[in-house]
Amino acid sequence: MRDTIDIGIDLGTTNSAIALAEGDTVTVIKNNESQDTTPSAVWMPRAGEVRVGLKARGRVESDPENTASEFKLEMGLADVARKFVRAGVQLTPPQLSAEVLKSLRSDATRFLNDAPTAAVITVPAAFALNQNKATVEAATLAGFVPGSPLLQEPTAAAFAYGLQDTSDRAYWMVFDFGGGTFDAAVVNKRDGELRVLHHAGDPYLGGKLIDWALVERVLAPAAASEFGLSDFRRDNPRHARNFARLKAAAEEAKIALSGIESTSVLVELDTPGGDSETFDFTLSRGALDHVAEPYYVRAINLCREAMRENGLSADAIDKLLLVGGVTLSPGLRERLADPVAGIGIELETRLDPSTVVARGAALFASTIRHPAPLAAAPAAGEFAVELSYEPAVTTTTTTVAGRLRAGRDLDWTGYSVVLANPEGRPPFRTANIALNRVGAFATEVDVDERRTSRFTVELIDPAGAPQKVVPNTLSITHRTETFGGARLAHSLGIQLADKTFSPLLRKGAGVPTTETGRFRTSYTLLRRDDEAMIQIPVVQGERVRANRNRPVGMLTIKPVDLRMDLPVGTEVEVTFEVDASNLVTVVADVPLIGAQFEAEIDLGSVRTPSADVLTQQLAEAEDRYDVLRQSADLPDVDERLRRLEAEGTLPTVREQVRASATDAGAAATAEDRLRDFQAELDDIDDLAALPRRTRQLLDLLAEAGELVQQSGAVRDEQELTALREAAQQAIDDRDLKAMDAATERTEIFMARLYRRQPGWYEAVYWEVVRSPGMLPPTAESDRLVAEGRDAINRRDQRAVEHVVQQMIRMLPRDEREIIIGLTQ
């Protein structure tokens, strides 16, 4: 068995690839058709027969009822499955992905004469928790060991390019435009360490969208006109076969236009009379670029966002690393090189963008020790050794430690080990290393620069006789680059009761990592209630409004083992642990009772939105958009609206919503785009509200100034001056969050000033008493109401204040917070 994993797999939307790292050499393993990439398609012509790859891709348009492709976009959706009519089965996206992985694993088995049991599998940086979990599930179904490591695709690409680059320090940007997803990542190389600094991406922006845009905006209208096809829509089941053929033809034409200026699109289409007609259409590269333009613009804007959030300009980036089949487009490359319309960073194209991710994954895999099988007792006459070492190092000297085991109790005094590399340059051999009483040892070994050094482990008993030890080899590879660790591509947290987002882990945090959040129960949990639980939505994203972020699961806390009831407001500490593959585990603690119990994230709760719901959401978004277009007269608002138009957001959403009834991937794309679109409109709404909010803040400060003049206190004048300065800074920065904070601080300041005025507590008393349902209907409430009325009649202000303070403690939390803001 190999010491390190060495196998890397790019599990792509359109195509997948597998590579092997051995020493400083990376080999892309070819499939049965002698191709570097395998189409991510599955065909089941009959029960018990599964075809993957080129043969399956060829059946997508001719046999759509028994073929599945582009299912990567459906990973993580719990209710999705593709039907195979002839086989009489249906497979989930993880099961379909597992078939692709099995095919790649079979190719590796043929190449190695041995079936690999582990692999590093890449995922888009923009993938959510549920999508990553579905990928791990697919790997396990394919026969790889449970928990196969995941690696973000832009990081893998940077690893592959890093092997080619000899510079000591550099900034790169990975531009990964694949078949279904887009990732941008800023990468820093410094003194041999590769570190991803920042991500931006879109899990539903890929070549598939360009293909469908070609179909729906160019090819389908032309075909409908030529052959008189009525109701010729993608979501019409009668035309499913025709649209599958047009989609395949669009993809082929797009690929062809990477090398020529125009190409013929030839498709056999079924006509209403039951015959077929040949659709012959000439597609030019210019027409393709026109259709693809909004998608290019969105990808470029995401790159600019990644640079801006990291405080870097295009001048600071040395190379733009092109990854993914879409980057083969001459039109895209020309635009990227343009400093005005694109990014203006030198393009790096030395490696094949279709296989670079698999290459990088293999390199990363060569730095990870192969998962060890479950330890078994050594066979008679054998000894086992558990080794501890780094499989990849950047120094030529490193430490190897170990501990010997026998099938019986043994005092290891007098035993020794020797580590040797006879093929080293020069050959290397340690002296006899004495074991301590429990069989442990540690030593330094020399490794060859830029090579893999293979060591043997020799065990010698007290009499000087060699003994059989398992395992008896280890490998250490010297590299000039190391991986500085993965980072979270999204903030991760929960949705609170007021629908706001509370992030526990921030975007850009290094992983693995752990973070604890403290929350309070919103109702009483009774020990006798077997059904009692707390359910909290888990989301990923950066927006304040939780529903503008991506839902990834449900955090469920089941207090089944409690020793007592938990009253409302009980503190619960929830700890999120994220591993290097961005997979999450959760532990919950209740300090009140000193108990720790299981909390789990149900990543199977994310489901496909219905076409009806998406249609309704689209109508609402379009109405908001129209209102903003009609009312917007501010430069910032106009600029944001133009950006949405340049990215073709609405046309894309409309197309995906129309297709959502028959395509789960389109439904997921539509939901994601609508969520982003509504969030953009939120921001534009805020920008449009700037003048009004500015006037409100200035009016509030003016009112505060009048109150301060009445009070005449120097301390009040100083506080008002500080409030005015903070407010003016927020206004100058056009920062709505800062303006809201300044408004809140000013309101609290004014409340304190009002409180000093005679009759203030009396006014609060009557506000509470005359608000129906504010006080609970209890004898204590009745007593306080009576005491307060009596104190007012006696003009005893101190007694009124005392009653009001007691009343506040009895109010619901929301009301209490409002009143406290007025009285403190």
Side-chain angles (χ1 to χ4, degrees):
M1 187 180 71
R2 291 175 174 269
D3 299 315
T4 48
I5 293 177
D6 298 340
I7 296 287
I9 295 177
D10 174 11
L11 183 60
T13 304
T14 307
N15 294 292
S16 296
I18 185 168
L20 170 71
E22 292 184 301
D24 57 357
T25 301
V26 179
T27 304
V28 176
I29 299 173
K30 296 184 182 297
N31 58 24
N32 281 328
E33 285 81 25
S34 297
Q35 299 296 312
D36 287 343
T37 61
T38 296
S40 301
V42 177
W43 176 42
M44 296 184 69
R46 60 186 61 84
E49 183 176 345
V50 180
R51 302 288 182 89
V52 174
L54 198 58
K55 291 181 179 178
R57 172 67 62 80
R59 297 287 179 162
V60 168
E61 63 271 18
S62 63
D63 191 13
E65 293 182 336
N66 300 289
T67 313
S69 64
E70 296 179 344
F71 35 79
K72 179 176 178 177
L73 300 180
E74 300 161 7
M75 294 288 272
L77 295 177
D79 58 338
V80 175
R82 299 284 191 98
K83 294 181 180 179
F84 294 84
V85 176
R86 288 200 199 99
V89 300
Q90 54 184 15
L91 300 180
T92 65
Q95 289 172 329
L96 291 165
S97 296
E99 294 300 332
V100 176
L101 291 173
K102 287 177 185 177
S103 177
L104 297 171
R105 186 172 181 238
S106 176
D107 295 332
T109 300
R110 186 180 62 256
F111 184 82
L112 297 169
N113 294 318
D114 187 28
T117 57
V120 168
I121 300 173
T122 63
V123 292
F127 254 21
L129 294 181
N130 54 316
Q131 294 170 308
N132 286 339
K133 181 175 181 291
T135 305
V136 171
E137 179 186 344
T140 304
L141 291 172
F144 292 112
V145 293
S148 288
L150 303 183
L151 180 66
Q152 293 170 337
E153 289 167 6
T155 302
F159 232 73
Y161 277 106
L163 191 66
Q164 305 289 318
D165 188 271
T166 58
S167 60
D168 290 330
R169 299 190 178 189
Y171 280 103
W172 302 329
M173 170 164 279
V174 177
F175 186 91
D176 185 354
F177 207 147
T181 61
F182 174 78
D183 281 315
V186 178
V187 181
N188 176 227
K189 180 181 180 181
R190 183 169 183 172
D191 299 331
E193 182 182 64
L194 294 174
R195 185 175 293 277
V196 176
L197 301 180
H198 203 84
H199 285 115
D202 185 334
Y204 298 102
L205 173 63
K208 174 186 177 180
L209 284 182
I210 298 174
D211 299 338
W212 277 119
L214 277 173
V215 171
E216 301 214 47
R217 302 175 197 178
V218 179
L219 301 182
S225 175
E226 181 175 342
F227 301 121
L229 299 172
S230 62
D231 206 17
F232 193 55
R233 302 190 324 273
R234 179 180 167 192
D235 60 323
N236 187 338
R238 290 193 300 112
H239 297 299
R241 192 181 302 272
N242 281 340
F243 271 86
R245 291 169 178 169
L246 288 173
K247 165 66 165 61
E251 184 179 347
E252 291 177 7
K254 181 185 67 178
I255 294 171
L257 290 173
S258 296
I260 55 179
E261 290 293 333
S262 65
T263 186
S264 292
V265 178
L266 294 172
V267 184
E268 291 296 317
L269 297 179
D270 299 331
T271 59
D275 298 325
S276 64
E277 295 280 354
T278 301
F279 174 59
D280 187 351
F281 185 89
T282 300
L283 184 66
S284 68
R285 183 183 290 173
L288 167 64
D289 287 340
H290 177 72
V291 169
E293 173 78 5
Y295 307 106
Y296 294 167
V297 170
R298 178 161 175 77
I300 289 168
N301 285 340
L302 287 168
C303 286
R304 291 171 176 166
E305 176 186 318
M307 289 189 293
R308 182 176 61 254
E309 292 187 4
N310 206 60
L312 294 172
S313 66
D315 293 340
I317 309 292
D318 299 285
K319 295 285 182 68
L320 188 70
L321 313 182
L322 300 186
V323 182
V326 178
T327 64
L328 293 170
S329 166
L332 175 57
R333 291 190 175 192
E334 182 179 340
R335 186 182 184 97
L336 288 173
D338 189 317
V340 177
I343 306 177
I345 301 172
E346 180 184 349
L347 305 185
E348 172 59 82
T349 60
R350 284 179 293 172
L351 293 179
D352 180 357
S354 300
T355 59
V356 64
V357 169
R359 289 176 175 274
L363 282 170
F364 180 73
S366 70
T367 70
I368 301 178
R369 291 187 63 181
H370 197 290
L374 293 176
E382 292 185 1
F383 298 90
V385 60
E386 298 173 358
L387 295 170
S388 175
Y389 63 94
E390 291 295 328
V393 297
T394 56
T395 60
T396 55
T397 301
T398 187
T399 299
V400 176
R403 182 173 179 176
L404 276 295
R405 291 191 302 115
R408 63 188 190 284
D409 291 337
L410 183 65
D411 183 349
W412 292 93
T413 304
Y415 283 82
S416 62
V417 295
V418 172
L419 272 61
N421 175 17
E423 304 298 324
R425 301 176 183 174
F428 174 84
R429 183 179 179 86
T430 66
N432 284 27
I433 307 161
L435 303 182
N436 65 14
R437 186 178 57 80
V438 297
F441 72 92
T443 187
E444 288 192 341
V445 297
D446 294 341
V447 296
D448 296 336
E449 190 171 358
R450 295 177 179 269
R451 295 184 68 222
T452 296
S453 300
R454 305 187 187 280
F455 297 87
T456 59
V457 181
E458 303 170 12
L459 175 63
I460 304 165
D461 68 14
Q467 300 295 319
K468 186 175 182 180
V469 60
V470 179
N472 65 347
T473 63
L474 66 126
S475 300
I476 300 176
T477 301
H478 177 268
R479 298 203 181 283
T480 56
E481 297 82 21
T482 59
F483 177 42
R487 293 183 179 272
L488 284 178
H490 319 272
S491 295
L492 173 66
I494 66 171
Q495 175 179 307
L496 300 179
D498 62 359
K499 308 302 182 183
T500 59
F501 175 47
S502 176
L504 270 74
L505 292 164
R506 292 286 186 179
K507 176 180 180 178
V511 293
T513 186
T514 301
E515 189 62 48
T516 298
R518 291 169 176 80
F519 308 96
R520 293 188 179 277
T521 59
S522 56
Y523 51 86
T524 299
L525 292 174
L526 301 177
R527 183 184 178 192
R528 66 175 180 272
D529 185 357
D530 293 337
E531 303 298 321
M533 67 175 63
I534 304 170
Q535 287 192 309
I536 308 168
V538 179
V539 296
Q540 285 182 306
E542 316 309 319
R543 303 284 184 176
V544 174
R545 292 177 59 176
N547 67 342
R548 299 303 191 227
N549 296 315
R550 297 183 68 200
V552 296
M554 188 69 69
L555 174 59
T556 302
I557 300 175
K558 300 178 181 179
V560 293
D561 298 322
L562 298 179
R563 299 191 303 273
M564 59 179 283
D565 295 341
L566 296 186
V568 62
T570 298
E571 184 178 83
V572 179
E573 296 180 352
V574 180
T575 300
F576 278 52
E577 298 179 3
V578 183
D579 68 13
S581 294
N582 278 282
L583 299 176
V584 179
T585 56
V586 184
V587 174
D589 286 284
V590 182
L592 176 67
I593 58 176
Q596 182 180 95
F597 54 92
E598 180 181 357
E600 62 182 40
I601 295 183
D602 176 15
L603 298 179
S605 62
V606 181
R607 298 181 176 273
T608 313
S610 71
D612 290 341
V613 169
L614 291 172
T615 301
Q616 179 181 347
Q617 292 176 348
L618 173 60
E620 294 171 355
E622 288 180 314
D623 288 344
R624 287 188 70 193
Y625 181 70
D626 289 340
V627 169
L628 284 169
R629 286 189 65 188
Q630 294 167 11
S631 62
D633 56 359
L634 296 171
D636 288 350
V637 172
D638 290 338
E639 180 183 345
R640 293 291 288 271
L641 288 172
R642 284 196 300 272
R643 171 173 170 167
L644 286 176
E645 292 168 358
E647 293 184 0
T649 301
L650 268 180
T652 299
V653 171
R654 289 178 185 131
E655 290 168 357
Q656 298 304 306
V657 169
R658 281 198 302 269
S660 62
T662 56
D663 184 342
T669 302
E671 182 183 44
D672 203 70
R673 281 298 177 89
L674 275 169
R675 189 184 302 112
D676 282 349
F677 186 49
Q678 289 280 25
E680 288 290 334
L681 295 182
D682 292 343
D683 292 344
I684 295 171
D685 262 336
D686 288 343
L687 288 172
L690 264 173
R692 174 177 54 82
R693 302 269 281 277
T694 299
R695 288 193 301 271
Q696 290 174 344
L697 177 55
L698 292 175
D699 290 346
L700 195 65
L701 287 166
E703 185 180 350
E706 295 175 1
L707 290 172
V708 169
Q709 284 183 348
Q710 296 173 18
S711 72
V714 174
R715 181 178 177 183
D716 293 338
E717 292 176 355
Q718 292 173 340
E719 186 171 353
L720 178 61
T721 299
L723 286 170
R724 283 172 171 162
E725 291 175 352
Q728 191 59 52
Q729 184 65 55
I731 292 170
D732 291 343
D733 293 341
R734 306 175 67 83
D735 187 339
L736 275 172
K737 290 183 180 179
M739 289 173 63
D740 287 342
T743 298
E744 183 179 357
R745 288 196 298 271
T746 304
E747 289 173 340
I748 293 172
F749 173 63
M750 291 174 64
R752 292 203 306 269
L753 296 177
Y754 276 121
R755 188 186 64 177
R756 299 175 193 165
Q757 297 180 356
W760 175 245
Y761 276 99
E762 182 177 333
V764 171
Y765 169 85
W766 288 117
E767 179 181 350
V768 171
V769 170
R770 291 169 179 169
S771 298
M774 186 174 287
L775 283 173
T778 63
E780 177 68 8
S781 297
D782 294 340
R783 181 185 65 78
L784 289 173
V785 170
E787 285 187 8
R789 186 178 289 109
D790 180 62
I792 290 172
N793 291 334
R794 290 186 286 104
R795 299 183 183 279
D796 187 343
Q797 295 300 318
R798 188 178 296 277
V800 173
E801 179 178 347
H802 180 68
V803 167
V804 168
Q805 294 291 358
Q806 291 184 76
M807 282 181 165
I808 288 172
R809 298 189 187 98
M810 302 180 67
L811 297 179
R813 181 178 300 173
D814 292 345
E815 299 290 349
R816 184 166 66 243
E817 290 175 352
I818 293 173
I819 298 298
I820 287 175
L822 295 174
T823 59
Q824 289 186 345

